[in-house]
Amino acid sequence: MGDSLSRRTFLKSSALAVAGLAASASAAAAAPLLRGPDNEPDEDVKKVLHERFGTRPIREGHVTLDVPDVAPDSREVPLLVESDLPMIADNFVKGFHIVVDHNPDIYLAGFNFTAAIGAATLDTRIKMRRSSHVRIIAETSKGELWSTSRFVYTSLNGCV
Amino acid sequence: MRDDIGQGKIILPAKITRDAVINIRALLSHPMLTGMSRDQAGIPIPAWYVKEVEVIYGGERVAHFEWTSGISRDPFVGFSLRAVKEAPLNVTWKDNKGGVFTHSADVKFTTTTADATR
């Protein structure tokens, strides 16, 4: 009995520790200033961004990404992307680009829109090889680039 | 091998009013293989995935997507559409092995009998 109690206490405390880790991870995600250089793309990612977007500046803002902090299944990580940028005939979101730093294909997908869709929203599911930043870049018809990123923890390699 | 590959559906909201921005959901049965896994005998399984998706609304291409094998198996995509006309909505998926799959749904405005007699 004493044994199982101590085991229970151990499980409880480790569960708390995990919860604490998750909480600090989401706190870091919520405060971009605290994230600091961690959000900085590495050389491979920079190369991909440069090939796609040239030297145009990619600024943070105007895009929201809803994704679990910890993905239960790295073969199917749900993404929900929205933007508050205008969606009118001469000024609209031309596309959302998905970049996952540590995936075999760093540039995972591009979703190109016209003004006819009325609102820039996207809902899909992606694979992730391992824990990584997931970046969304919104490109406007005027060529501006707006982005957001979230760090997603995964367990198994989902790139099957 | 699965026998449902290429089956799919386009889901529209139950009620659509003119000029409303509606949510479209498009689903296709497809293995979306990266080419990085092996079968039980250790033989690599070749890549097989949807590369391109086109969304045509009343003859006009309103969206197109470029995908890699990083999109999950049985790919799902949800996006918006401004319902400006009653017209078919066709979604075509093209894979890297030449497979082309099209599914469609009709955008129709909801008219209640009260509206019709008014």
Side-chain angles (χ1 to χ4, degrees):
Chain A
M1 189 65 186
D3 242 356
S4 78
L5 258 185
S6 66
R7 183 173 174 272
R8 190 172 298 162
T9 326
F10 170 74
L11 283 178
K12 210 179 201 177
S13 61
S14 52
L16 280 175
V18 168
L21 269 179
S24 62
S26 62
L33 286 176
L34 292 177
R35 207 166 43 196
D38 288 346
N39 184 29
E40 190 67 20
D42 64 21
E43 288 309 313
D44 289 343
V45 176
K46 275 184 182 159
K47 202 175 148 215
V48 168
L49 293 176
H50 186 79
E51 277 166 11
R52 277 274 159 185
F53 307 115
T55 54
R56 283 182 282 167
I58 303 175
R59 288 172 285 180
E60 277 200 27
H62 293 299
V63 198
T64 56
L65 167 62
D66 194 359
V67 61
D69 288 330
V70 181
D73 185 344
S74 42
R75 295 171 301 181
E76 295 197 353
V77 183
L79 305 184
L80 186 60
V81 184
E82 285 177 325
S83 172
D84 62 358
L85 291 163
M87 209 64 196
I88 52 174
D90 58 349
N91 185 13
F92 58 95
V93 177
K94 207 168 79 172
F96 285 138
H97 306 272
I98 302 178
V99 170
V100 181
D101 290 18
H102 292 132
N103 264 27
D105 288 308
I106 294 173
Y107 184 88
L108 195 148
F111 293 81
N112 304 292
F113 303 133
T114 62
I117 63 159
T121 65
L122 171 68
D123 185 357
T124 193
R125 300 188 289 240
I126 64 163
K127 299 173 197 169
M128 289 183 68
R129 181 159 65 180
R130 59 181 173 97
S131 300
S132 168
H133 280 291
V134 175
R135 302 171 192 275
I136 307 293
I137 295 133
E139 184 175 11
T140 70
S141 56
K142 292 178 173 174
E144 288 175 1
L145 302 167
W146 294 96
S147 73
T148 190
S149 76
R150 290 276 299 276
F151 195 86
V152 178
Y153 290 90
T154 65
S155 47
L156 297 170
N157 176 1
C159 289
V160 288
Chain B
M1 183 55 76
R2 302 166 51 175
D3 57 4
D4 61 342
I5 290 163
Q7 288 178 23
K9 56 182 154 186
I10 313 295
I11 304 165
L12 303 177
K15 285 184 179 175
I16 302 174
T17 51
R18 185 180 291 273
D19 290 335
V21 175
I22 59 171
N23 188 31
I24 311 286
R25 288 175 293 167
L27 191 65
L28 181 77
S29 291
H30 199 282
M32 296 298 283
L33 298 167
T34 57
M36 277 171 268
S37 50
R38 289 168 185 271
D39 66 13
Q40 283 174 332
I43 299 159
I45 305 168
W48 185 15
Y49 59 93
V50 173
K51 287 174 74 170
E52 196 186 343
V53 185
E54 285 198 311
V55 183
I56 314 275
Y57 174 40
E60 181 196 358
R61 187 168 87 162
V62 293
H64 68 282
F65 312 141
E66 39 177 326
W67 288 356
T68 64
S69 57
I71 297 286
S72 301
R73 186 179 73 171
D74 298 337
F76 164 79
V77 58
F79 54 95
S80 301
L81 179 73
R82 189 178 291 280
V84 291
K85 57 192 166 190
E86 291 195 316
L89 179 75
N90 296 313
V91 180
T92 301
W93 293 260
K94 294 175 185 170
D95 72 24
N96 67 324
K97 287 172 42 170
V100 179
F101 316 101
T102 300
H103 293 282
S104 56
D106 286 321
V107 175
K108 279 194 175 144
F109 300 136
T110 319
T111 47
T112 61
T113 45
D115 286 338
T117 52
R118 213 167 269 167

